[in-house]
Every structure is written in C-alpha cells, then in structure tokens.
C-alpha cells in the first residue's frame, strides 16, 4: 500500500509481540492450539501439500497404467479405485482448500491491515474439521477404497461395494470446513479492513476470495444435503435416486452439479485472484481495469449457480433445459475474456521482471487461455454430445483445474513463500521447475484433447490399440511434470533449512502484507495501518516519502 | 485441411457427423486465433516492457472503457453465434423422422443387447441398413451406461427405469465402433459393441438368417465368436485365471460346488442352464451377478459355445 499513514503509537506492545509468528511459542502444542491466522494458514498449507502429494502419486499411477492397453501395473478394480481417489483427493482435500484456507488465510488479513480474521477460534476449528474429514477419507481408502469416481453417480454408488459411505461422509465433513472458512472470510472483509481502506482500495486478491467465499457459503450446503440423501439411500434403502426403490438417478446429477459447478469457480476464482496480485507487482504497474476485474469475479460467482445443466447434455434432461443451460454457459466467456485481456494489458508500459511467481502467472495466462477456449467447444450442445465423457473433457478441466488453479497456487506459493517463512528459495532452480511443470503439463494434457475428439471415453482401464501412441505421449509428459515437482520440493525444503534471509518486501510490492517484516510478527503490524490510496499505485513514489 | 480434420475427429459415419465436424473445426481455428493473440500480446508486452532498471515509476493507466467494452462485446457476439449454431444442429439431430427403424437397446453390466422390430435379438452386434434413419430406444437394467457411437458423433446416457432415444442416419457402410461412455464399474472399458451398417439387401437377409458365418463355420469357431462378441469374455477367462465368473478353461467335465452345498459335473445341460438361468446354481466363491441370456443365442450359437468350452482343456 503506497500510503500507510502511520498513526502515532496507539498502545504499547509487550515484548513478545515483536517476535515473528514462527517463534512466538514453541512445540507442537503451541501450534495445535494457536488462533493466529498465519499459523493456521501454515498448518493448512502442510496438510494440503501432503494431500497434493498423495493425489499426485495416484495420478502418476493412472498414467503408468495407461501406458499399455489392458493390465500394465494393476487390475481393473484397482484402477477404478485409483482414479476415484485421485479425483476425490485433488478436489475435496487439495484444490478447494488450497488457496482460500492455506494462502488466503495467511495473507488476506495482512492485505487488509488486520490483526487476524474475524473469528480466529472458528478458523482453528475449520482446520480441525478439515483434518477430521481427511482422516475419514484416508480411513475409507484403507478399508476397501471407493470405485465410484469422485462424482458418486447413482445408482452405481448406492450399489457398489467398498467404503462409499465413509468417503461420502468425509466429503460431507469437509464441506463444513469450507463453509466455516467462507463465513469467516466474508466477515473479515466486511469488518476488518484497515481504516481508510474502502471496498475498491482492497487488493483484487480479496475480491476474488470474497466471491469464492460467497459460493462456499451458498453452494456447499447443497452438497451436504445431496451426500446425506445418498448416505440414507445406501445405508437404509430409502429410495431417492435408485429407480429400483422408486428414485430418480438423474435427480442426483442435478443436485450434485448444483454444487459442483459452482465448486469449479470455488477452485478457479482464487487462482485468478492470485494472478491479479502477481502481475501488477512484477510489472510494477497499476492493474488495468480494477473494477472490471473485481466485478467480473462477482459476475462469475453469480452465473456459476445457473449453468450446472451443461454437465448433463447427454443425461436425458429435456432438450429445452439443455438449450437454456448452453445459452447461459456462454456468458461465462465474457468475464473470463475481460479478465484475461486486463491482465495482459497491465504489462503495457510496465517494468516486467521474470521471477518465478511471474513465470507462473504468465504460464497461467496461456494455460487458462487454452482451458477457457476449449470450454467453448463444450458449451456448444452438438459438439458437446460428441465430446462429453471423453478425454477432451478430461483435458479441458485439467487445463482449468491444474493448468490454471494449481499453476496460480504455485505462483502464489512462490510469491508469498518469503513472507510466510522468511526465506528466499533458489531462483534458478525455481525457474527450471516452472519450465518443467509447464512443458510436462502440456505434454500430458494436449494429446488428451485429440484422444477425446477421436472418441476415447474417459475412465477407461483398457483401450483400443489405435489410441496407444497418444496415451504414451501423455504418460511421458506426466514424468516430466513429476520431475518438475520433485525439484520444487527439493529447493523449497532446502530453503527452510537456511537462516532467515528474506527482506520485508523482496518484490517491491505496494500491498500491505509486504509492509511488515518477513515473517510477520504475531500481531501482523506494529501499528494498525491507516490507508490512503490504492493497492497498485506504482505510478508514484513509495508512500509519498511518508513510509518505507 | 481434411487430413487434420480426420486426424482430430476420426471417421465420419453420417452427414450429421460432418455438420458437427464443421463446427468443431471452426472452433479449432477460432481458438487458434485467440490463443495466438493471447500468446503474442503476453510475450510481446512482457518482453518489450521487461525490467531494465530497478525502482522506476510507471504510468498510471487505470482503465479504458472503450477497450474494455470492445473485448466484452466481441466475445459476446461470437459466443452467441456459436450457441445458435450448436443448438440448431442439436435440435435437428434429436428429432427422429417418422420412417426411422426402431431398435430397442438394453445396457447391462457389461454388454449391449439389441432387439429388432421383427423380434430378432442380438448381443454386442447392432445391424442397421445404410441411408435409413435409425431410432434407438435405450434403457438399462442396472446402473447408468452411455451408448456412444463416435463416428455418428452421437451419444446418450442409458438410464435404468427410463427410455431415452438416440437418432442417427448412417451413410457409410461397414463396421463402426460403439463404446460405453458412462462409468459403470469393473469392465466399463470392455463394454463395447459393433455397429454394422449393411446394404438394405444384406440387412434383410441378416434379419432372417443371422450372421452368415454361423451357417458354415465349425462349431468351435462359432463358440469362440460368441465368447468374444456376446460379452462372455468380460467375466469368464479362458486361461484359468479367476475373474467375475469361473474360467472356461477345463470347465467341461469338472465337478463344480455350489453355494447351496450341492455339486454337479459340468455337461451340456448345465451349460445351457447357466446361460439361460444363471442364478439357478451359484459356484462357491462367486457373486450371483450374471444376467440371463435366455432367447439371445440361436441354436448354432448355443452348440458353438458348448463345443468351445469342451475344447478349452
């Protein structure tokens, strides 16, 4: 923030408040009972990174199995469980909490100039609920596994063996964690902005998280209800979705996507939010079209609630419904286009540096471009009928979920790593890893577009010989991707073993989280900052000479 | 250009398939254009305005309403055009003409069964005459499946307790691939079928006589064909390995123990019973999951499968 108008000392602080948050309290207990948003963010970070690793191992197993048709390393039953766990872990345990619960938990109160989130204890409680959900999910994995796909479509999910009930319950529990985080962030943004910070003086990251939190609070209860109904049918034979019991299987799909389509935006909006921070910082330039980006986040959040039927063009829903859902779906293209061009144009006449976070943000622009453009194919009903449930869809949503959200998450992780842990990582190693992830990702998923348009259905253990060459290209790509992540884990862990060396503001950013020490003190700021001016005022000298 | 289209989308089986491909390829070129634009602008701005000196101030370009309207309205117009294009093709393809041949399709784990207007029934092979509209009326006996004919660019979910239709007018004779595209469990990826598009004469003759090979082939080979085409192979191995059902290897003459405590020496009649009424006796160690094939095998086919099992010692 350009102008922190430093107010005179409001009150004296006890000495321990000048200690950075990592050293304020020692031992496991001080972490498990903390109400500091930064520590909770860090606990979330390690939890989700572990889940990302687990989901990644399952992904590598899937690709390895698909190196040849028929059995390569595992049986069909095992394969079906592996792809289910890959999807369920990545969606519910990694991507959904990744940016909001881990990164935003840490940086958003700092960005707002607040001491903490609105409800610190609730914040800790959310983490415990997340951990409970994670343990239940792991219990489901080791007690028979689940082979339904992460979508739990009925009546397969109510009739198959395995720990479906336990896994469903895990997703149910995780939903509460998501809702409580959302409530907490909405309250924080409404009530805890620093004096002088109006809605349009917030960094755009906060707008993105605000839009995300709205969806979390409004959509997640629908998932809870759906999963509860599924559990009741599976455990007590109450007929809701299974036609044998008088239910309707398509009803489940309506319920499921009524949550899970908005959930797609729970996943992508935070990614967009991160990119909206990285690009101005590394371009040292005012963001282009602040209000357009802010409002398009909210627009995407609202439209996300009325497009769920585009997952169901082949489901037997009425043709009129398909037409309406197709029509509304295309409106998502507009805010997405606005954002993309605004980010690109922000670099115009800027001063662009190519540090690792910026390389991820630039990768995001290209990969989100492909993810968004291939979404247009799937919005057109006639083309979607051909592509639905093929590898084209698999490729498309990986470009959005991984190519966009996860790449932006990695950008954010590299961007805020010095702030979170007070240490710089090896920049050359980070650039190499970013390049490998970018190349490996494209090598893995570009061939899948062609596999899909040629008719290769998804969730196939076995496949026709004509598809083998493209499958092998994809599998080799996954090895490059895996190598990139190994290198990343290497230099990030290595940086933690160093002495603290990160300056308060290594990227010369103007937002508030960089105006305190790295890592921040427990209470974030020595004085509550008062704000005059926007978060991206790179056109004038820092603080007009008032502060550093 | 055509070879690119063929490489991306595979063979076409109908005029409608070409309509879908035209829109698909339009979208490909549209995406290539916009992607190239994004790449060009990103790389150009990033490189042209790369940081040469630390600590410089940059101009305050906060927004530009005309530009922002431009890149909102142009995409909006383009996507509205695409919506109408895709919707129009979809509606045209979903309305079956009055003279369509109606064939009933049943999906079950993990095979496709077909029933023709004259009562003929087949499994795994769907025969239709060329250049006549076909209306498939589909349902499922267990979980969701999805009947997908890539060369016709058509698919529909197949739902238990409900009938849905799928319409296409094949114009290319020969064999076309059918997949199950909705995940349905263990052998989902083997739940395939062949669509044979025949000349009208061949189709009429086939309805009466069945597959011509049946007349002249040795029974063991008929049995092998039945084994592969009618779905036996998704559950019964021929190499002795355990699968959903008992292996056929060494089955004939073996003593099988059943869950009700009885046992039997496998002979012709036991095989016939197991095919027509599979729940009558359940071999210990296996689940009672096999569907009935009553009325689905012609007599030479039944003889063939018995002969084939006898051969697998």
């Amino acid at each position: 923030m350009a102008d922190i108008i430093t107010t005179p000392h409001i009150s004296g602080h006890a000495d321990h408040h000048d200690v950075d948050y990592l050293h304020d309290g020692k031992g496991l207990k001080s972490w498990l009972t903390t109400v500091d948003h930064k520590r909770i963010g860090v606990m979330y970070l390690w939890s989700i990174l572990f889940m990302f690793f687990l989901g990644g191992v399952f992904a590598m197993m899937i690709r390895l199995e698909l190196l040849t048709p028929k059995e390569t390393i595992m049986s069909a039953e095992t394969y079906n469980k592996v792809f289910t766990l890959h999807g369920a872990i990545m969606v519910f345990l990694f991507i959904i909490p990744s940016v909001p619960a881990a990164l935003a938990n840490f940086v958003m109160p700092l960005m707002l100039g607040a001491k903490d989130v609105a409800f610190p204890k609730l914040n800790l409680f959310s983490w415990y609920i997340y951990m409970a959900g994670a343990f239940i999910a792991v219990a489901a994995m080791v007690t028979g596994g689940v082979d339904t796909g992460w979508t739990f479509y009925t009546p397969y999910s109510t009739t198959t063996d395995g720990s479906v009930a336990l896994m469903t319950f895990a997703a149910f529990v995780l939903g509460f964690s998501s809702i409580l985080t959302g409530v907490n962030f909405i309250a924080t943004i409404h009530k805890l902005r620093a004096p002088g910070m109006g809605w349009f003086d917030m960094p755009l990251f906060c707008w993105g998280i605000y839009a995300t939190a709205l969806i979390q609070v409004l959509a997640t209860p629908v998932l809870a209800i759906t999963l509860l109904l599924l559990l009741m049918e599976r455990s007590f034979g109450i007929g809701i979705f299974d036609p044998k019991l008088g239910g309707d299987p398509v009803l489940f799909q309506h319920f499921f996507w009524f949550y899970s389509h908005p959930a797609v935006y729970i996943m992508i909006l935070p990614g967009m939010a991160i990119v909206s921070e990285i690009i101005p910082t590394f371009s040292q330039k005012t963001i282009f079209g602040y209000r357009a980006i802010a409002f398009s986040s909210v627009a995407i959040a609202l439209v996300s609630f009325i497009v769920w039927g585009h997952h169901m063009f082949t489901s037997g829903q009425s043709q009129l419904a398909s037409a309406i859902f197709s029509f509304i779906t295309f409106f998502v293209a507009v805010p997405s286009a606005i954002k993309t061009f605004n980010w690109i144009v922000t670099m115009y006449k800027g001063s662009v540096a190519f540090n690792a976070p910026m390389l991820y943000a630039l990768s995001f622009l290209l990969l989100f471009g492909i993810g968004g453009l291939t979404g247009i194919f799937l919005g057109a009903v006639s083309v979607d009928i051909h592509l639905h449930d093929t590898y084209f869809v698999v490729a498309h949503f990986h470009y959005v979920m991984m190519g966009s959200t996860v790449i932006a998450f990695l950008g954010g992780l590299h961007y805020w790593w010095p702030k979170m842990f007070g240490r710089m990582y090896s920049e050359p190693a980070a650039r190499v890893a970013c390049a490998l992830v970018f190349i490996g990702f494209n090598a893995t998923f570009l061939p899948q577009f062609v596999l899909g348009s040629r008719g290769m259905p998804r969730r196939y253990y076995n496949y026709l010989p004509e598809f083998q060459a493209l499958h092998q290209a994809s599998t080799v790509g996954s090895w490059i991707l895996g190598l990139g992540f190994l290198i990343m884990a290497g230099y990030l862990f290595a940086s933690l073993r160093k002495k603290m060396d990160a300056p308060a503001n290594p990227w010369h950013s103007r937002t508030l989280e960089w105006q305190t020490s790295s890592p921040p003190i427990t209470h974030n700021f020595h004085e509550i900052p008062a704000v005059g001016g926007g978060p991206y005022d790179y056109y004038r000298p820092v603080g007009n000479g008032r502060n550093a | 250009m055509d070879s690119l289209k063929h490489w991306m989308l595979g063979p076409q089986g109908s005029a409608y398939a070409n309509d879908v491909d035209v829109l698909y390829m339009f979208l490909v070129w549209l995406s290539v254009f916009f992607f190239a634009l994004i790449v060009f602008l990103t790389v150009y701005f990033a490189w042209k305005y790369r940081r040469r000196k630390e600590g410089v101030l940059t101009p305050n370009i906060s927004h530009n309403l005309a530009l922002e309207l431009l890149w909102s309205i142009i995409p909006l117009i383009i996507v509205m055009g695409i919506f109408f294009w895709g919707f129009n093709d979809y509606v045209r393809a979903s309305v079956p003409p009055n003279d369509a041949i109606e064939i009933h399709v049943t999906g079950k784990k993990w095979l496709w069964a077909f029933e023709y207007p004259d009562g003929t029934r087949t499994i795994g092979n769907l025969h239709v005459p060329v250049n006549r509209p076909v209306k498939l009326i589909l349902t499922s006996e267990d979980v969701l499946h999805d009947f997908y004919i890539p060369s016709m660019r058509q698919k529909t979910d197949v739902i238990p307790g409900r009938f849905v239709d799928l319409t296409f007018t094949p114009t290319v004779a020969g064999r076309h691939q059918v997949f199950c595209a909705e995940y349905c469990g263990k052998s989902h990826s083997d739940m395939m079928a062949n669509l044979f598009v025949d000349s009208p004469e061949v189709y009429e003759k086939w309805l009466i006589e069945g597959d011509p090979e049946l007349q002249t082939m040795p029974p063991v080979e008929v049995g092998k064909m039945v084994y592969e085409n009618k779905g036996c192979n998704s559950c019964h191995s021929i190499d002795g390995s355990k699968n959903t059902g008992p292996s056929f290897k060494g089955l004939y003459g073996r003593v099988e123990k059943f869950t009700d405590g009885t046992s039997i020496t496998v002979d012709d009649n036991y095989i016939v019973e197991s095919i027509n009424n599979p729940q009558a006796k359940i071999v210990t160690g296996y689940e009672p999951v096999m569907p009935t094939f009553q009325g689905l095998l012609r007599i030479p086919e039944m003889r063939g499968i018995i002969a084939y099992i006898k051969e697998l010692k």
Side-chain angles (χ1 to χ4, degrees):
Chain A
M1 193 70 40
D3 296 343
I4 302 172
I5 302 157
T6 46
T7 45
H9 271 280
I10 294 167
S11 64
H13 292 288
D15 282 341
H16 80 273
H17 287 148
D18 290 333
V19 176
D20 76 66
Y21 81 97
L22 288 171
H23 292 95
D24 188 5
K26 278 198 184 122
L28 192 62
K29 187 167 169 255
S30 77
W31 282 83
L32 292 179
T33 57
T34 183
V35 289
D36 181 348
H37 70 99
K38 298 182 289 302
R39 285 192 159 202
I40 296 169
V42 168
M43 292 198 293
Y44 261 119
L45 183 67
W46 294 123
S47 319
I48 61 151
L49 286 177
F50 176 75
M51 286 302 165
F52 184 44
F53 171 74
L54 205 59
V57 169
F58 285 127
M60 300 302 283
M61 285 166 70
I62 293 173
R63 283 314 326 161
L64 194 56
E65 171 53 43
L66 293 173
L67 196 61
T68 65
K70 300 226 160 115
E71 180 164 333
T72 311
I73 55 164
M74 62 181 99
S75 68
E77 289 100 327
T78 312
Y79 177 81
N80 291 343
K81 286 175 184 169
V82 167
F83 80 68
T84 300
L85 294 175
H86 165 69
I89 290 173
M90 287 300 198
V91 170
F92 294 115
L93 286 157
F94 171 59
I95 300 184
I96 288 179
S98 65
V99 181
L103 296 183
N105 217 335
F106 191 101
V107 298
M108 199 186 65
L110 288 162
M111 281 180 160
L112 296 173
K115 276 178 163 177
D116 207 314
V117 293
F119 310 113
K121 285 179 184 160
L122 188 67
N123 199 15
L124 181 65
F125 186 51
S126 306
W127 180 76
Y128 276 104
I129 297 177
Y130 171 87
M131 291 307 284
F135 277 114
I136 298 170
V138 171
M141 284 176 221
V142 296
T143 57
V146 187
D147 72 339
T148 59
W150 79 279
T151 45
F152 302 116
Y153 269 19
T154 54
Y156 187 81
S157 59
T158 51
T159 51
T160 184
D161 294 334
S163 301
V164 180
L166 215 50
M167 186 55 103
T168 315
F169 186 59
F172 178 81
V173 170
L174 289 166
F176 284 96
S177 164
S178 188
I179 293 169
L180 294 179
T181 302
V183 169
N184 214 339
F185 286 2
I186 290 173
T188 306
I189 292 171
H190 272 272
K191 305 306 288 183
L192 296 185
R193 299 191 309 276
M197 186 189 278
W199 279 86
F200 296 106
D201 303 319
M202 289 197 304
L204 281 165
F205 182 76
C206 302
W207 272 99
I209 294 299
Y210 185 73
T212 308
L214 283 182
I215 312 178
Q216 283 177 302
V217 170
L218 294 175
T220 316
V222 179
L223 177 74
I225 294 164
T226 312
L227 295 177
L228 206 60
L229 292 175
L230 183 73
L231 274 174
M232 282 161 66
E233 175 161 306
R234 195 178 155 90
S235 306
F236 307 113
I238 297 169
I240 298 156
F241 304 123
D242 188 346
K244 286 208 177 79
L245 305 168
D248 179 0
V250 181
L251 179 67
F252 176 83
Q253 297 175 36
H254 281 289
F255 278 170
F256 182 80
W257 290 112
F258 189 90
Y259 163 74
S260 292
H261 192 76
V264 169
Y265 297 94
I266 291 179
M267 297 187 251
I268 188 67
L269 281 170
M272 294 169 159
I274 289 175
V275 172
S276 304
E277 292 307 311
I278 294 178
I279 291 182
T281 296
F282 289 91
S283 307
Q284 290 289 298
K285 177 86 188 317
T286 315
I287 190 116
F288 185 87
Y290 178 99
R291 284 181 190 230
I293 293 179
F295 287 134
S296 59
S297 292
V298 179
I300 288 175
L302 295 179
V303 175
S304 76
F305 280 97
I306 45 175
V307 296
W308 78 89
H310 71 216
H311 296 268
M312 300 172 59
F313 290 156
T314 68
S315 71
Q317 77 181 359
S318 79
Q319 288 160 7
L320 179 65
S322 292
I324 292 169
F325 282 120
S326 167
F327 181 74
I328 304 172
T329 296
F330 279 113
F331 284 96
V332 179
V334 176
S336 306
I338 292 174
K339 279 174 181 278
T340 303
F341 285 113
N342 282 3
W343 289 320
I344 294 173
V345 171
T346 297
M347 292 186 287
Y348 174 72
K349 293 201 171 171
S351 172
V352 182
F354 300 103
N355 298 80
M358 186 62 169
L359 292 181
Y360 281 106
L362 295 175
S363 304
F364 173 95
L365 291 178
L366 307 188
L367 299 177
F368 179 66
I370 295 179
L373 288 164
T374 51
I376 297 176
F377 289 67
L378 299 170
V381 195
S382 65
V383 175
D384 180 75
I385 299 280
H386 176 55
L387 298 176
H388 181 79
D389 271 335
T390 69
Y391 266 74
F392 190 96
V393 175
V394 175
H396 161 71
F397 73 69
H398 277 92
Y399 266 87
V400 179
M401 298 290 86
M402 176 159 191
S404 310
T405 303
V406 177
I407 291 290
F409 167 78
L410 295 174
L413 187 66
H414 285 79
Y415 181 53
W416 286 304
W417 186 269
K419 181 57 63 185
M420 297 177 94
F421 300 107
R423 286 134 170 131
M424 304 302 288
Y425 45 81
S426 158
E427 181 69 32
R431 289 180 185 180
V432 169
C434 178
L436 285 174
V437 167
F438 183 79
I439 294 166
F441 175 80
N442 284 296
T444 308
F445 292 103
L446 267 182
Q448 296 188 6
F449 283 118
V450 183
L451 273 175
S453 61
R454 292 174 61 96
M456 167 84 207
R458 64 191 284 204
R459 296 175 170 175
Y460 261 34
Y461 168 70
N462 189 10
Y463 55 83
L464 298 179
E466 68 216 52
F467 295 124
Q468 190 169 6
L470 287 164
H471 268 303
Q472 293 190 333
S474 180
T475 299
V476 171
S478 74
W479 297 337
I480 303 173
L481 192 53
L483 179 66
F485 280 114
L486 275 183
I487 294 175
M488 195 185 303
Y491 66 75
L492 286 180
F493 280 120
S495 81
L496 293 181
R497 301 174 61 90
K498 296 193 304 181
K499 274 202 163 138
M500 289 200 185
D501 62 348
N505 190 0
W507 320 121
H508 312 294
S509 173
R510 302 290 178 99
T511 46
L512 276 182
E513 80 271 28
W514 300 104
Q515 316 310 326
T516 181
S517 53
S518 300
I521 55 169
T522 301
H523 284 194
N524 294 347
F525 301 95
H526 288 285
E527 295 93 18
I528 291 175
V531 175
Y536 309 114
D537 289 351
Y538 293 100
Y539 60 92
R540 50 179 186 170
V542 174
N544 272 342
R546 281 297 304 273
N547 68 314
Chain B
M1 218 51 96
D2 262 5
S3 62
L4 179 69
K5 180 157 92 178
H6 189 266
W7 179 69
M8 282 187 154
L9 290 150
Q12 297 174 343
S14 64
Y16 173 72
N18 191 53
D19 295 345
V20 173
D21 291 1
V22 170
L23 175 53
Y24 183 93
M25 291 313 289
F26 170 78
L27 293 173
V28 168
W29 292 117
L30 184 82
S31 302
V32 167
F33 171 77
F34 276 103
F35 183 64
L37 185 70
I38 292 171
V39 173
F40 170 75
L41 291 175
T42 303
V43 173
Y44 178 76
F45 285 157
W47 189 249
K48 181 160 193 269
Y49 300 108
R50 68 187 181 276
R51 190 168 301 171
R52 294 182 169 91
K53 217 173 84 192
E54 294 299 324
V56 291
L57 296 176
T58 52
N60 181 26
I61 308 169
S62 68
H63 63 287
N64 180 325
L65 190 65
L67 257 184
E68 287 174 272
L69 282 178
L70 187 76
W71 62 56
S72 315
I73 292 170
I74 290 180
L76 183 66
I77 293 171
I78 294 174
V79 293
M80 285 300 104
I82 296 166
F83 161 72
F84 280 106
W85 190 345
F87 171 61
N88 194 36
D89 280 348
Y90 164 70
V91 169
R92 220 158 23 84
S94 333
V95 182
N98 288 330
D99 60 339
I101 301 177
E102 295 193 350
I103 299 172
H104 282 266
V105 182
T106 305
K108 48 187 155 184
K109 291 178 184 173
W110 288 279
L111 57 87
W112 295 105
F114 304 98
E115 191 175 340
Y116 298 77
D118 69 346
T120 301
R121 298 211 238 157
T122 61
I123 290 175
N125 290 329
L126 170 61
H127 284 258
V128 296
V130 73
N131 292 328
R132 273 210 38 204
V134 179
K135 178 181 167 187
L136 301 180
I137 301 161
L138 309 99
T139 192
S140 164
E141 278 192 4
D142 37 46
V143 297
L144 296 176
H145 299 284
D146 185 296
F147 196 80
Y148 176 31
I149 319 170
S151 63
M152 304 297 163
R153 312 289 185 256
Q154 275 285 40
K155 71 161 69 75
T156 181
D157 283 8
V158 179
I159 304 160
R162 206 200 269 196
F163 294 98
V164 294
D165 342 313
L166 187 74
T167 301
F168 59 98
T169 307
T171 54
V172 178
R175 194 192 82 87
H176 299 258
Q177 183 66 48
V178 176
F179 292 114
C180 176
E182 182 63 62
Y183 173 69
C184 59
K186 188 184 151 208
S187 296
H188 167 53
S189 60
D190 294 322
M191 188 171 163
M192 294 189 262
N194 299 303
L195 165 65
F196 290 103
V197 178
D198 301 332
S199 68
E201 305 80 53
V202 172
Y203 174 70
E204 291 302 329
K205 193 157 168 272
W206 174 84
L207 276 182
I208 296 161
E209 296 177 2
D211 293 320
E213 298 85 3
L214 290 182
Q215 315 297 327
T216 54
M217 262 189 194
V220 174
E221 279 180 38
V222 172
K224 185 166 188 288
M225 200 173 70
V226 170
Y227 172 77
E228 284 163 4
N229 292 347
K230 307 242 159 172
C232 315
N233 59 350
S234 32
C235 299
H236 299 278
S237 78
I238 51 172
D239 59 2
S241 61
K242 189 175 163 157
N243 202 330
T244 310
S247 176
F248 283 173
K249 187 180 166 73
L251 178 63
Y252 199 90
R254 188 162 73 201
V255 178
E256 288 283 52
K257 287 199 179 66
F258 302 114
T259 47
D260 61 3
T262 61
S263 62
I264 208 169
T265 306
V266 175
D267 60 4
D268 292 20
N269 283 323
Y270 170 69
I271 293 173
V272 171
E273 183 193 50
S274 299
I275 291 171
N276 287 336
N277 185 10
Q279 313 298 334
K281 299 186 175 72
I282 303 300
V283 180
T284 47
Y286 295 92
E287 296 291 314
V289 291
M290 179 167 158
T292 175
F293 286 67
Q294 181 98 43
L296 292 171
L297 297 183
R298 294 181 174 86
I299 286 176
E301 292 174 321
M302 191 68 94
R303 278 198 205 113
I305 193 77
I306 293 169
Y308 182 60
I309 291 173
K310 265 187 194 167
E311 276 288 301
L312 294 166
K313 297 202 176 78

